[in-house]
Amino acid sequence: MTDDDDIQEYARPCSNCEYHRKRAQHWRDEAYKQAGYPLPEREWVGLTDEEIESLAKKHNGIFYDCDIEFAHAIEAKLKEKNT
């Protein structure tokens, strides 16, 4: 199994969660439209290397240089799916 396969498996959405996320987004969009407001646009903001290191240490108890590469690969996939 390659790193890309690992990322795909890890980032694979739960069908139930995906359904509720889309449903909630639909309701928010409708509420904005009915209120006469434009839909909000949000700029993608990624994690800094320091934030990634801090999270890795907090959850794993140790930090490896490859953690940053893995986190950036996950961020790239999320950005692709959400923009």
Side-chain angles (χ1 to χ4, degrees), residues 20-33:
H20 290 293
R21 184 189 66 78
K22 287 179 181 178
R23 186 172 172 211
Q25 184 64 51
H26 172 74
W27 282 101
R28 276 192 298 277
D29 291 350
E30 285 300 314
Y32 273 93
K33 288 177 191 175

Side-chain angles (χ1 to χ4, degrees), residues 28-61:
R28 276 192 298 277
D29 291 350
E30 285 300 314
Y32 273 93
K33 288 177 191 175
Q34 289 179 10
Y37 296 114
L39 296 178
E41 291 287 328
R42 294 191 174 141
E43 182 180 332
W44 177 265
V45 178
L47 296 172
T48 65
D49 290 350
E50 292 78 23
E51 290 170 323
I52 294 167
E53 183 175 346
S54 174
L55 287 167
K57 286 179 180 177
K58 178 180 177 183
H59 292 283
N60 299 334

Side-chain angles (χ1 to χ4, degrees), residues 54-70:
S54 174
L55 287 167
K57 286 179 180 177
K58 178 180 177 183
H59 292 283
N60 299 334
I62 193 166
F63 169 74
Y64 299 101
D65 288 336
C66 62
D67 290 339
I68 290 178
E69 293 174 25
F70 185 65

